[in-house]
Amino acid sequence: MTEQYKIYEATLTGPDQGNPYRDIWLKADFTNDTESFSVNGFYCGDGIYRIRFMPMRPGRWKAVTHSNATALDQVELVCDCVPAEEGNHGRVLTESQVAPGGDFPGQNDERRFRFAYEDGTRFWPFGTTCYAWIYQPEEIQEQTLATLKNSGFNKVRMCVFPKFYTYNTADPRLAPFEGNAAEGFDFTRFCPAFWDNLERRIRQLDELGIQADLILFHPYDKWGFSKMDPETDLFYLKYAVDRLCHFKNIWWALANEYDLMPWKTEEAWERFARVVIGRDSYGHLRSIHNCLTFYDHTRPWITHASIQRVDVYRTAENVTRWRQQYQKPIVVDECAYEGNINYGWGNITGEEMVRRFWEGCIRGGFLSHGEVYVQYPQIWWAHGGTLHGTAPERIAFLKKIMYEAPGDAAPLVLTPQNHAENWDVPCMCTGDGSWFLYYFDFMRPAFRTWKLPVGGVYELELIDTWDMTVEKLPGTYEGDIRIALPQKQYLAVRMKRIACR
């Protein structure tokens, strides 16, 4: 039996002569009474081939294989799928994909800006970055997973290819292709041991409830992976999608800093996108990430904007503009990193990292964390290992606050508020005015006045986003109110309607 949203796998034996990676193709169409999903099999070495399928509906699914190899052709497969168990919510999609149209059509449909699991459960991405963690020694990989288990992060940006850059210059022990750094890599054959380990780590992330935001290409390279010829690019891309698309926790990031690879044209990126869409029957999330020049995130294949800040100071504040510009979820995957290196992208304080998370979140966006402290042997942003900064636990506190927000059924859909009277304080609220969350950022007022919605009686809470405390203010509030504040930075005020008059 295979649980809904998990992987059914059939192992077949076939030819191992020549180069099966290039010479042999294998497919199957899984059908039930009403649906059909076409999947591509793949070669694993030593004459072993696999067909995988992620059933998205309970019931019996049948398939017959098709191949140019007789031993792999016309093999009958049966997948009996049982309903998802508690905690298994399926893929993460945009809310518009989960509930097309929503309750607020047109420009007011807030669901276009957010994510949800396949079963409708909300998903707020609180991400982190560990580019090359799968290239570290086994004990560091295990330490990374242990750290993630006890963190609040539910998305990890990670590379398929090894990374050569500051503080991360070691040659890989294994890589996607056969070979090694000393003798070179064979770009016609894949390395089964590498892919097995990558799959194992993606599966372990899934068990922790963490999305694997998988970066397919990046420019930081000395081994030739970033400058493969177009045919090899497609050869690799097809294999990666055929093997990995069946994991429910995969997000496809076509590139990290695509614009630092000018030898790959815009048409090349569009061709890559067509390959991913064509070979991923499940429609996982897709993005492409910039360094200095934004890709056109209005392109239909892009499900959400993955953004690196292009202003040293204004980052999360731009979420409002980017939402209006792209009309899609905004994920600021690089808002700078907490740390102490000599580069401005990696030496902001924990306070500033947390501030950017709150600012972006209240404006209706999502951010990713990173950490670069050079005094430690492993640097989280590159190697994983252990977190040392002050931001992660406070990001987890924010995550808790956001998941405590009201449900998303209309008229409770959470929406950033842009009222003129609150021009200086970002606010998120429900459509019916029953819940508000204001963030005061680096401001420190002695008091604040509000006009509460007519007829509502509210409780107010003062949230210290740095000390991670929630203090209920005495009494109840209605109409025009004036609230004393402790003249401290990084405070938030949450309002909850408890009665109507």
Side-chain angles (χ1 to χ4, degrees):
M1 294 288 183
T2 301
E3 186 180 337
Q4 184 181 6
Y5 307 132
K6 294 195 175 180
I7 297 176
Y8 163 85
E9 182 174 285
T11 300
L12 308 175
T13 303
D16 61 355
Q17 301 83 21
N19 185 354
Y21 294 109
R22 287 194 179 277
D23 300 337
I24 305 298
W25 57 265
L26 173 63
K27 296 182 178 183
D29 294 321
F30 282 85
T31 61
N32 61 10
D33 294 335
T34 59
E35 297 173 284
S36 178
F37 288 87
S38 180
V39 298
N40 293 289
F42 54 92
Y43 184 56
C44 302
D46 297 325
I48 301 299
Y49 296 77
R50 291 193 173 96
I51 285 277
R52 288 177 177 161
F53 173 57
M54 179 179 68
M56 297 200 287
R57 307 284 181 275
R60 171 159 287 193
W61 295 81
K62 296 181 178 180
V64 176
T65 65
H66 302 281
S67 177
N68 61 343
T70 303
L72 304 173
D73 193 41
Q74 299 300 305
V75 178
E76 296 183 357
L77 305 174
V78 176
C79 169
D80 286 315
C81 175
V82 297
E85 295 182 0
E86 184 177 357
N88 177 4
H89 304 292
R91 299 166 297 165
V92 171
L93 303 167
T94 65
E95 278 202 10
S96 296
Q97 292 173 294
V98 174
D103 298 303
F104 299 93
Q107 296 299 309
N108 294 322
D109 185 0
E110 181 64 21
R111 286 180 172 151
R112 74 182 63 197
F113 299 112
R114 299 205 320 236
F115 301 98
Y117 287 104
E118 199 158 356
D119 66 358
T121 302
R122 74 170 71 181
F123 180 80
W124 292 84
F126 286 85
T128 189
T129 302
C130 294
Y131 285 126
W133 75 278
I134 63 167
Y135 285 95
Q136 307 314 307
E138 176 78 12
E139 62 271 19
I140 301 302
Q141 295 184 46
E142 292 297 327
Q143 187 181 57
T144 302
L145 290 165
T147 300
L148 288 169
K149 180 180 180 180
N150 296 312
S151 76
F153 298 120
N154 58 11
K155 181 174 84 75
V156 174
R157 299 182 70 225
M158 52 188 285
C159 298
V160 177
F161 287 119
K163 186 173 183 180
F164 180 79
Y165 189 60
T166 305
Y167 309 114
N168 192 64
T169 58
D171 289 323
R173 184 179 65 84
L174 296 173
F177 292 95
E178 290 281 14
N180 55 63
E183 299 174 2
F185 292 93
D186 182 351
F187 291 105
T188 70
R189 291 180 177 273
F190 296 104
C191 174
F194 167 83
W195 291 94
D196 288 346
N197 184 63
L198 174 58
E199 290 174 353
R200 178 166 64 112
R201 299 315 187 187
I202 292 171
R203 187 177 292 107
Q204 289 171 317
L205 291 174
D206 187 38
E207 291 169 355
L208 297 176
I210 297 174
Q211 304 294 300
D213 195 354
L214 201 63
I215 298 167
L216 296 167
F217 294 97
H218 68 78
Y220 300 104
D221 168 47
K222 70 169 185 177
W223 305 281
F225 300 121
S226 66
K227 292 189 175 181
M228 300 184 298
D229 61 66
E231 181 183 350
T232 306
D233 280 344
L234 294 180
F235 175 57
Y236 148 73
L237 193 60
K238 291 174 182 178
Y239 190 77
V241 176
D242 291 348
R243 278 195 78 138
L244 304 178
C245 71
H246 314 281
F247 291 92
K248 70 175 187 288
N249 63 321
I250 281 287
W251 297 23
W252 303 117
L254 258 65
N256 186 61
E257 300 182 341
Y258 84 95
D259 48 324
L260 297 189
M261 293 179 278
W263 51 89
K264 296 189 189 300
T265 65
E266 181 178 310
E267 174 51 35
W269 295 115
E270 293 296 306
R271 184 165 60 250
F272 296 161
R274 291 192 293 270
V275 169
V276 172
I277 291 173
R279 301 184 86 89
D280 175 7
S281 299
Y282 314 103
H284 290 287
L285 295 170
R286 300 175 298 270
S287 68
I288 187 168
H289 178 78
N290 66 285
C291 180
L292 298 174
T293 304
F294 283 9
Y295 205 84
D296 179 5
H297 296 299
T298 65
R299 295 290 175 91
W301 64 265
I302 297 176
T303 58
H304 63 283
S306 173
I307 289 175
Q308 176 176 174
R309 60 99 176 91
V310 292
D311 186 294
V312 174
Y313 304 104
R314 284 176 55 86
T315 300
E317 294 83 354
N318 290 327
V319 164
T320 300
R321 176 169 59 85
W322 291 330
R323 279 166 46 105
Q324 294 170 348
Q325 181 176 358
Y326 297 122
Q327 294 293 305
K328 292 176 181 179
I330 303 299
V331 184
V332 187
D333 273 317
E334 189 175 333
C335 66
Y337 300 133
E338 177 184 2
N340 58 5
I341 65 170
N342 60 318
Y343 300 119
W345 54 260
N347 56 24
I348 66 171
T349 64
E351 289 91 339
E352 177 61 12
M353 173 66 78
V354 174
R355 187 199 72 79
R356 293 183 184 194
F357 260 79
W358 271 86
E359 180 88 29
C361 192
I362 300 302
R363 290 179 179 273
F366 312 94
L367 280 80
S368 290
H369 155 276
E371 184 179 293
V372 191
Y373 283 106
V374 297
Q375 65 266 39
Y376 300 105
Q378 281 80 44
I379 300 176
W380 179 262
W381 145 88
H383 312 124
T386 303
L387 288 162
H388 301 280
T390 56
E393 63 177 322
R394 293 167 173 88
I395 293 170
F397 176 72
L398 168 60
K399 178 185 174 186
K400 178 177 181 292
I401 294 291
M402 296 314 301
Y403 270 96
E404 289 174 351
D408 292 341
L412 297 180
V413 174
L414 294 173
T415 307
Q417 187 188 58
N418 297 305
H419 293 175
E421 64 190 63
N422 294 313
W423 61 271
D424 58 335
V425 183
C427 171
M428 179 168 279
C429 62
T430 55
D432 66 347
S434 63
W435 184 94
F436 296 86
L437 181 61
Y438 292 88
Y439 178 55
F440 287 94
D441 188 278
F442 44 72
M443 310 300 183
R444 50 177 193 177
F447 68 93
R448 184 76 180 186
T449 60
W450 279 283
K451 293 181 181 292
L452 299 179
V454 176
V457 180
Y458 290 81
E459 289 182 344
L460 270 61
E461 295 169 308
L462 181 65
I463 301 172
D464 188 318
T465 69
W466 187 253
D467 289 342
M468 298 178 286
T469 59
V470 179
E471 174 191 355
K472 184 180 180 299
L473 301 184
T476 60
Y477 303 83
E478 54 186 305
D480 293 352
I481 64 172
R482 184 182 190 274
I483 303 299
L485 296 171
Q487 300 185 63
K488 183 180 180 182
Q489 292 181 316
Y490 313 128
L491 298 179
V493 172
R494 181 166 58 185
M495 304 178 177
K496 302 175 184 177
R497 189 173 65 199
I498 59 172
C500 294
R501 295 194 189 277

